Amino acid sequence: MKKPIILIFLNLIAFNLYSQNIAELYKKVDASVVTILTESKVLKEDHQMANDQGIGSGVLISGGGEILTAAHVVNDAEKITVRFLNGEEIPAKVIRSAPMPDLALIKLIWMPKEYTIASLGNSDETVIGEQVIVVGAPYGFEHSLSVGYISGKKDQKVRTSGFILNEFFQTDASINQGNSGGPMFNLKGEVIGISSYIISESGGFQGIGFAATVNLAKKVVVDVNRRWTGINGYFLDEKAAWILNVPINGGLLVESVVQFSPAYYAGLKEGFEKVIVGGQDMIVGGDIIISVNDFPLTVKAFKQLSEVSSETLNSKQESFFNQKLFKLQVLRGGKIKELTLKFKE
């Protein structure tokens, strides 16, 4: 009878130590996690614009006020407010965005009185089965903790070059609406991922969530100047262009433009009519961007770009995104116009 009692006692000790370790880790990293409140405009069924409020999460990564979050949290925001653990609220602006891997970098207008900076880890060293914690504001419950494991690692590469476009961790740590943009930490307290989306039939978490890896975040928004334009759009392939009777082989359909963004000052026009094309919701009636600095936005052009090596692609991207002036060719009302997109930074 003694052995079972001893085993139960040892299990209780181990469980208490585990709980203490998680509690200590949470206490260490929680102050670096922020809640992101957004205000944006949405097109209603009566073709009128209405204000929409959103909530997401993020993590402070520098003393200069830079915060990593998910692109879909802030991309169409007219106003961004960041709330810290102590309740202090500070306005922020988007400075870099990469919608495809769902990553963005926003910057505080001023620094808070008290703050904690998170350490960025090396997500290449993370293995399947490793334990992680996720902190965020699911359904508005700020600074909520969930614990889980890395269930898998997924990536999407350009077929011929091997250049990674998307790279995600799959996890069973609970992620819900409001968690988006929040950090995933390893047990060292390092950020290894940014919460992105879930797979769900009910709309709630069902054990499959995804976080963009922090190494990809470094490559696309932290170390590379991938500027935010204020454009929310849909890439038209040849089939979609044909269905919409667009006399070109593709382009970027401008669905909405954020007020006072670079795209707004460039004079780009947003859409005003909701339609469904091939099962995909679109807002049409706005400009279609045909080319950027004479680079055509067609499927064929992107396929040609993917034929180069990974190193050349990185070099071309860095050179492209570091420019401050971009010449746009847009299709508007059946005519081609030229616009200039300018960036201050």
Side-chain angles (χ1 to χ4, degrees):
M1 291 295 293
K2 288 184 179 180
K3 283 187 177 181
I5 294 173
I6 292 171
L7 287 173
I8 292 171
F9 181 69
L10 291 174
N11 285 334
L12 285 172
I13 292 175
F15 178 77
N16 286 333
L17 289 173
Y18 165 79
S19 299
Q20 288 173 8
N21 289 339
I22 294 296
E24 289 171 3
L25 175 60
Y26 172 74
K27 186 177 180 181
K28 173 185 174 182
V29 302
D30 186 36
S32 67
V33 182
V34 300
T35 301
I36 299 175
L37 308 171
T38 62
E39 293 181 18
S40 57
K41 58 182 180 181
V42 294
L43 182 65
K44 298 192 298 182
E45 296 299 329
D46 60 1
H47 309 299
Q48 299 297 311
M49 301 304 297
N51 292 326
D52 182 56
Q53 296 182 332
I55 185 170
S57 305
V59 60
L60 183 66
I61 64 167
S62 79
E66 294 176 329
I67 292 170
L68 262 178
T69 186
H72 77 266
V73 171
V74 296
N75 256 2
D76 61 353
E78 305 269 333
K79 180 181 178 182
I80 301 172
T81 303
V82 174
R83 184 155 60 211
F84 286 81
L85 180 62
N86 62 4
E88 186 175 4
E89 295 186 353
I90 299 174
K93 61 180 181 179
V94 185
I95 56 174
R96 297 174 191 169
S97 177
M100 188 173 289
D102 196 21
L103 290 161
L105 194 70
I106 65 176
K107 189 172 183 178
L108 299 169
I109 301 303
W110 64 80
M111 289 300 291
K113 296 174 183 176
E114 300 176 0
Y115 59 88
T116 299
I117 300 171
S119 298
L120 301 184
N122 181 357
S123 52
D124 288 346
E125 296 178 351
T126 304
V127 297
I128 295 174
E130 187 171 332
Q131 193 169 42
V132 294
I133 69 170
V134 172
V135 184
Y139 298 109
F141 293 100
E142 300 177 42
H143 297 275
S144 294
L145 166 73
S146 61
V147 183
Y149 295 87
I150 297 294
S151 309
K153 188 175 183 180
K154 316 293 181 183
D155 60 45
Q156 176 188 346
K157 299 179 179 180
V158 175
R159 186 172 299 168
T160 55
S161 70
F163 179 76
I164 294 176
L165 297 174
N166 294 322
E167 185 178 63
F168 292 93
F169 286 129
Q170 179 187 333
T171 182
D172 63 350
S174 181
I175 296 174
N176 283 292
Q177 182 180 350
N179 273 118
S180 294
M184 171 188 283
F185 295 97
N186 61 21
L187 295 187
K188 297 177 185 177
E190 300 170 332
V191 179
I192 57 167
I194 298 296
S195 300
S196 182
Y197 67 100
I198 62 174
I199 293 178
S200 172
E201 294 182 358
S202 66
F205 183 71
Q206 293 183 299
I208 303 177
F210 294 90
T213 67
V214 76
N215 281 14
L216 186 61
K218 292 174 188 176
K219 291 177 182 177
V220 299
V221 293
V222 177
D223 298 332
V224 174
N225 196 13
R226 186 166 295 193
R227 296 180 177 90
W228 173 72
T229 63
I231 298 170
N232 291 288
Y234 182 85
F235 183 77
L236 300 176
D237 57 16
E238 292 182 16
K239 181 180 179 181
W242 182 83
I243 292 173
L244 292 173
N245 200 28
V246 174
I248 51 175
N249 292 327
L252 181 66
L253 173 67
V254 179
E255 296 183 293
S256 66
V257 175
V258 176
Q259 192 174 27
F260 307 129
S261 66
Y264 173 87
Y265 288 116
L268 281 161
K269 302 298 182 183
E270 63 188 9
F272 51 82
E273 183 74 34
K274 287 184 177 180
V275 298
I276 300 176
V277 178
Q280 177 68 46
D281 292 333
M282 294 184 195
I283 300 176
V284 299
D287 290 337
I288 298 175
I289 303 176
I290 301 172
S291 68
V292 179
N293 285 358
D294 298 321
F295 178 79
L297 299 185
T298 64
V299 174
K300 183 178 180 180
F302 277 103
K303 283 183 177 179
Q304 290 174 345
L305 182 63
S306 69
E307 295 298 324
V308 300
S309 69
S310 176
E311 292 76 16
T312 305
L313 188 58
N314 283 324
S315 175
K316 283 190 174 184
Q317 281 192 326
E318 185 175 357
S319 174
F320 183 82
F321 288 117
N322 280 335
Q323 297 178 71
K324 292 184 179 180
L325 289 175
F326 292 86
K327 183 178 68 175
L328 309 181
Q329 274 196 329
V330 303
L331 182 67
R332 179 185 297 173
K335 297 180 180 180
I336 294 178
K337 293 179 65 70
E338 287 197 356
L339 302 175
T340 302
L341 192 65
K342 299 179 181 180
F343 294 95
K344 294 179 181 179
E345 297 180 358

